[in-house]
Amino acid sequence: MRGVILAAGNGSRLGSLTANQPKALLEVGGRPLVDYTLDAMAEAGIDQVVVVTGYLGATLEDDLTTRRRDFDLRF
């Protein structure tokens, strides 16, 4: 099953928190925000995820491809 994550915004309302990282990688409860979405997708049986990136997309791609090997990730 396939899923899509829209992670292209620059998070301007978050100010300096997103100056050097995309908002999807901001930590909430000790984990990157995007992990909560990916975990919910895994529970729903989704195994292929397309991540639509924009702002600092390479940072998000590098992080997810090294940490999340439980999905077929495409960017």
Side-chain angles (χ1 to χ4, degrees), residues 25-49:
L25 293 180
L26 289 178
E27 288 197 9
V28 177
R31 298 173 51 207
L33 187 60
V34 69
D35 277 1
Y36 294 97
T37 303
L38 289 170
D39 288 348
M41 287 180 160
E43 286 183 31
I46 294 170
D47 56 2
Q48 183 181 69
V49 178

Side-chain angles (χ1 to χ4, degrees), residues 4-73:
V4 176
I5 296 176
L6 303 176
N10 65 1
S12 61
R13 290 176 285 192
L14 295 170
S16 63
L17 293 174
T18 57
N20 299 313
Q21 68 179 344
K23 61 185 168 188
L25 293 180
L26 289 178
E27 288 197 9
V28 177
R31 298 173 51 207
L33 187 60
V34 69
D35 277 1
Y36 294 97
T37 303
L38 289 170
D39 288 348
M41 287 180 160
E43 286 183 31
I46 294 170
D47 56 2
Q48 183 181 69
V49 178
V50 175
V51 183
V52 179
T53 64
Y55 177 70
L56 297 175
T59 303
L60 182 59
E61 184 175 346
D62 289 346
D63 180 82
L64 290 179
T65 54
T66 57
R67 280 188 319 104
R68 297 299 301 237
R69 299 190 183 271
D70 49 343
F71 286 98
D72 176 9
L73 291 170

